[in-house]
């Protein structure tokens, strides 16, 4: 499941979206994938494959090289034992017989691995929040973060991650100050006596 966790953390995708991902929606050469499906457990028992919760969620996701590498590994596993040139079909992450992974099983495995590494007890959705935190801390514009996470509105990002944006507020007021100082210098250059005349008045 390491490759699944790599995808979750590297894209900010939701657990259900990753578990519902089909090979026909993955385009490794272009380093993108489409998210048309989400796998959920109804009453924690029956698995249901449906569409993501919002129209914004059903969108393209860009893939970093390390996520492409993780998906390449999965593709190699899926192709094992198949005739050469056979197109990839079915779920990207599944049991050996091709049946879906259970969402609860993914959580159990994540917590087991986190405990082995001495990390705090976390949920699968925390990987999505971690991805968002890394992007925002790296000063990726909030609109780009929102688009990457496929939130329906920018306000969702502000509500969830506004506490991570003090640097953005500082950058904003610094930009205003810089612009005003530049305007002052330009004005002083074009009107050298203006400042002293103003003070005399």
């Amino acid at each position: 499941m390491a490759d699944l966790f790599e995808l979750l953390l590297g894209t900010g995708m939701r657990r259900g979206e990753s578990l519902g991902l089909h090979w026909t929606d993955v385009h490794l050469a272009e380093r993108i994938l489409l998210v048309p499906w989400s796998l959920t457990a109804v009453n924690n028992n029956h698995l249901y494959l449906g569409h993501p919760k919002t129209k914004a969620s059903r969108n393209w996701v860009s893939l970093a090289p390390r996520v492409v590498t993780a998906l390449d590994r999965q593709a190699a596993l899926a192709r094992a034992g198949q005739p050469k040139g056979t197109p990839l079909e079915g779920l990207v992450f599944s049991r050996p017989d091709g049946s879906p992974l259970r969402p609860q099983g993914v959580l159990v495995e994540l917590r087991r691995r986190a405990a082995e590494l001495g990390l705090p007890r976390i949920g699968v959705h925390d990987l999505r929040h971690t991805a968002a935190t890394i992007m925002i801390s790296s000063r990726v514009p909030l609109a780009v973060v929102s688009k990457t996470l496929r939130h329906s509105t920018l306000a969702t990002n502000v509500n969830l991650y506004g506490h991570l944006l003090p640097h953005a507020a500082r950058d904003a007021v610094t930009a205003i100050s810089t612009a005003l100082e530049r305007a002052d210098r330009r004005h002083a250059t074009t009107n050298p006596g203006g400042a002293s005349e103003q003070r005399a008045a």
Side-chain angles (χ1 to χ4, degrees), residues 21 28 39 105 121 155 177 183 201:
L21 183 64
L28 293 178
L39 183 78
R121 182 181 173 88
S177 178

Side-chain angles (χ1 to χ4, degrees), residues 29 42 48 59 66 81 99-100 147 150 186-188 192 196 198:
V42 181
Y48 172 73
N59 212 328
R66 62 182 296 143
S99 62
K147 182 69 173 175
R150 291 163 295 110
R186 203 162 38 237
H187 179 70
S196 56
Q198 256 189 341

Side-chain angles (χ1 to χ4, degrees), residues 68-79:
V68 171
T69 299
L71 291 173
D72 271 332
R73 284 193 294 265
Q74 284 298 305
L77 289 173
R79 287 193 178 100

Side-chain angles (χ1 to χ4, degrees), residues 4-105:
L4 172 59
F5 298 140
E6 187 77 57
L7 176 70
L8 289 165
L9 188 55
T11 63
M13 288 175 66
R14 300 173 180 90
R15 172 174 52 181
E17 295 169 346
S18 298
L19 294 181
L21 183 64
H22 286 68
W23 282 116
T24 49
D25 298 313
V26 177
H27 305 272
L28 293 178
E30 292 83 8
R31 288 173 48 182
I32 56 173
L33 59 80
L34 181 62
V35 183
W37 302 106
S38 182
L39 183 78
T40 55
V42 181
N43 297 326
N44 205 29
N45 187 19
H46 302 290
L47 296 180
Y48 172 73
L49 186 67
H51 295 299
K53 58 182 182 179
T54 67
K55 185 178 178 181
S57 296
R58 299 191 291 273
N59 212 328
W60 293 99
V61 173
S62 185
L63 303 175
R66 62 182 296 143
V67 176
V68 171
T69 299
L71 291 173
D72 271 332
R73 284 193 294 265
Q74 284 298 305
L77 289 173
R79 287 193 178 100
Q82 292 187 356
K84 191 173 182 179
T86 303
L88 288 172
E89 296 179 342
L91 295 168
V92 174
F93 298 100
S94 64
R95 297 175 183 275
D97 63 0
S99 62
L101 295 174
R102 300 195 70 81
Q104 182 64 22

